Amino acid sequence: MKLTVVGCGYLGATHAACMAELGHEVLGMDCDMDKVAVLNSDKAPFFERDLDDLLAQHTRSGRLTFTASYAEAAAFADLHFIGVGTPQLPGEHAYDLSHLFSAVRQLAPRLTRAAVIAVKSTVPVGTAPRVRDLLHEFAPAGDAVEVAWNPEFLRESFAIEDTLRPDRLVLGFDTEHSWAEAVLRRCFENIITAGTPTIVTDWATAELAKASANAFLATKISFINAMAEVCEASGADVEQLADILGHDVRIGRRGMRPGLGFGGGCLPKDIRGFMARAAELGVEQALTILGEVDAINNRRRERMVDCAREQAGGTLAGQRITVWGAAFKPETDDIRDSPALAHQLHELGAHVTVTDPQALDNARKLHPELDYVDDPTAAVQDADLLLHLTEWPQFPRIDPHRLAARTATPKVIDGRGTLDPAAWHEAGWTFRALGRP
Ligand code: UGA
């Protein structure tokens, strides 16, 4: 099949490459010419495991190209996925849908034939009819343009795997047995025949599927972090507690890692956007739980700053602090709303050195006031305190004995629960961890 993907960020670029992998002829479209140039040179404009290779394979095979032209996109295919960003409005909880509506408005006047617009972006429930209205008003093909809702559940750093082998496929349509359904079933045929649970539903349920999945995931993380608060007050160990809870198959250990909490471009803004939409719908009370989820999450970050202050003897001013991690989670260079809060420590007067295997360029651009060092061992030189804030797998492999020699006051706080307390104690470190005795 021929198809386009409008919006080539984390979601769109991955989707485009994966659709080419499924055998389709794909044109990725993004209004950012620089991004298009990078993508056409076989690279992702961000770090995502194996994505460069997949892009290279399919740009070379000719199945995948990128453009900045809506006219080209409209002419190229009759199936258009939209995966533009829907960030949080500055100073508000609600979503900024301007990129989505702008993409629809630019595409619409160029749709002269029947087409399917399949939206993947995360939106407040009730957005699909607004997209349909715009299309029917501005597209020359009128109501021959159908809207489908196809929410995306991929995780950054597992984006290719989650796209090609998703846990489930959700397809939302306005009417039963629409043409759009036949088109999308053909597009995803390989995924469907591989046995992926495929749920065909209405627009609102498809929109809500995404909002509620992220709300649940955020709640699970904040639940275990609330337990971490109780553990800290009672001397219990949240890591063991999470293991014990996780053995109950109804609860499950996955997605329940205690620590600094959730960040990134999705979970924080999605729970806020969901609450804002519930308030508009008059069911604000149904989601007050998410306000608490957000508050618990923010308290973890404050707790880390408090722990650092305690370890520093009461004030961070003048302290030399090394932070392992800048990305919001491992295997990404994404620092959006990252809980690895180095700049806050800097604002409190600390002299902060940051290291991260992938996110240093992005961190440097956003916080040029901090020091950056590539090597996590060298970064610890002369530090008064080490904070472990992003759980890259390489950090626990570093020998704490070798590190201890680099500092006169070997003190570490593990914000992610992946360092081995016994090994660090044995190497002479004062070791503290969130939620652990
Ligand atoms: C999240 C969801 O997991 C995806 O299903 C969803 O498609 C995506 O948002 C989205 O809406 O696009 P992502 O933000 O890539 O994916 O990352 P997660 O792996 O969910 O991690 C989010 C944050 O929670 C990270 O800061 C991570 O460190 C933290 N986390 C995650 C925990 O603190 N504990 C956990 O057990 C899991």
Side-chain angles (χ1 to χ4, degrees):
M1 281 177 85
K2 290 181 91 172
L3 60 92
T4 80
V5 180
V6 177
C8 291
Y10 287 96
L11 160 58
T14 307
H15 188 67
C18 289
M19 291 303 102
E21 175 72 7
L22 289 181
H24 302 308
E25 253 184 84
V26 183
L27 179 64
M29 190 269 145
D30 198 290
C31 49
D32 180 339
M33 311 263 265
D34 292 338
K35 203 182 268 180
V36 168
V38 174
L39 285 161
N40 273 329
S41 68
D42 302 347
K43 283 200 189 62
F46 49 84
F47 173 75
E48 176 65 43
R49 204 190 333 235
D50 299 332
L51 186 55
D52 281 354
D53 288 346
L54 201 63
L55 286 167
Q57 188 185 332
H58 293 300
T59 47
R60 283 178 204 151
S61 75
R63 281 222 291 275
L64 177 60
T65 42
F66 293 91
T67 180
S69 156
Y70 276 102
E72 246 182 79
F76 183 82
D78 301 323
L79 169 58
H80 305 281
F81 286 97
I82 299 188
V84 295
T86 52
Q88 193 177 338
L89 276 171
E92 286 182 46
H93 273 181
Y95 284 102
D96 175 359
L97 296 176
S98 59
H99 302 294
L100 173 62
F101 290 136
S102 158
V104 172
R105 287 194 70 127
Q106 303 225 44
L107 202 54
R110 298 170 167 103
L111 297 174
T112 51
R113 319 179 289 267
V116 175
I117 306 295
V119 183
K120 300 190 79 64
S121 306
T122 304
V123 296
V125 58
T127 302
R130 297 175 66 191
V131 170
R132 177 212 41 214
D133 291 349
L134 274 177
L135 287 166
H136 288 183
E137 185 178 348
F138 294 106
D143 57 15
V145 179
E146 291 190 22
V147 174
W149 222 261
N150 173 222
E152 181 59 61
F153 301 100
L154 68 79
R155 297 158 295 167
E156 284 176 31
S157 77
F158 294 94
I160 293 173
E161 194 182 321
D162 286 352
T163 305
L164 292 175
R165 285 173 291 281
D167 292 337
R168 74 295 213 190
L169 198 58
V170 175
L171 306 174
F173 304 102
D174 189 24
T175 51
E176 276 180 46
H177 311 299
S178 60
W179 174 61
E181 181 179 341
V183 170
L184 282 183
R185 279 186 177 279
R186 193 147 61 86
C187 173
F188 292 122
E189 192 179 358
N190 288 353
I191 291 177
I192 295 170
T193 52
T196 305
T198 301
I199 296 98
V200 174
T201 183
D202 54 85
W203 282 339
T205 306
E207 291 168 320
L208 261 183
K210 173 69 186 190
S212 51
N214 276 5
F216 190 89
L217 294 168
T219 303
K220 196 168 179 188
I221 297 167
S222 274
F223 176 83
I224 197 64
N225 284 333
M227 294 308 107
E229 291 186 31
V230 180
C231 286
E232 280 157 16
S234 59
D237 184 337
V238 74
E239 292 291 341
Q240 283 196 311
L241 186 67
D243 286 342
I244 294 164
L245 294 178
H247 283 298
D248 185 328
V249 289
R250 293 168 303 170
I251 298 176
R253 183 67 161 87
R254 286 185 70 193
M256 202 175 59
R257 287 192 319 278
L260 261 181
F262 55 82
C266 301
L267 297 190
K269 63 109 178 161
D270 285 344
I271 58 170
R272 294 174 197 145
F274 198 13
M275 282 188 281
R277 183 62 182 141
E280 284 171 5
L281 292 169
V283 287
E284 191 172 6
Q285 266 196 326
L287 295 190
T288 50
I289 185 176
L290 295 184
E292 208 43 57
V293 165
D294 204 11
I296 293 165
N297 199 48
N298 290 329
R299 279 208 298 277
R300 284 289 80 186
R301 300 182 189 197
E302 289 163 19
R303 178 76 184 136
M304 176 47 85
V305 174
D306 288 345
C307 281
R309 199 184 283 111
E310 280 163 29
Q311 287 297 301
T315 175
L316 292 172
Q319 290 287 307
R320 297 176 63 85
I321 298 184
T322 296
V323 172
W324 274 358
F328 83 100
K329 66 174 191 178
E331 309 294 345
T332 177
D333 62 357
D334 191 348
I335 57 166
R336 286 176 293 172
D337 203 352
S338 174
L341 34 72
H343 61 287
Q344 278 164 259
L345 304 167
H346 172 84
E347 282 158 20
L348 292 166
H351 181 91
V352 184
T353 302
V354 182
T355 187
D356 188 286
Q358 286 294 342
L360 285 196
D361 285 348
N362 286 340
R364 222 180 248 119
K365 276 184 221 142
L366 194 65
H367 295 295
E369 69 278 15
L370 307 178
D371 279 350
Y372 296 96
V373 171
D374 287 326
D375 175 26
T377 300
V380 175
Q381 190 65 43
D382 298 327
D384 298 313
L385 179 61
L386 169 62
L387 304 183
H388 174 229
L389 304 187
T390 310
E391 68 277 32
W392 284 92
Q394 39 273 69
F395 293 148
R397 289 190 214 121
I398 297 171
D399 177 8
H401 283 94
R402 267 181 52 219
L403 272 188
R406 292 186 173 258
T407 157
T409 55
K411 286 187 274 186
V412 61
I413 306 177
D414 183 6
R416 292 298 189 174
T418 58
L419 302 183
D420 174 8
W424 285 72
H425 276 304
E426 212 237 309
W429 289 77
T430 303
F431 184 94
R432 289 198 60 183
L434 290 185
R436 310 191 79 176

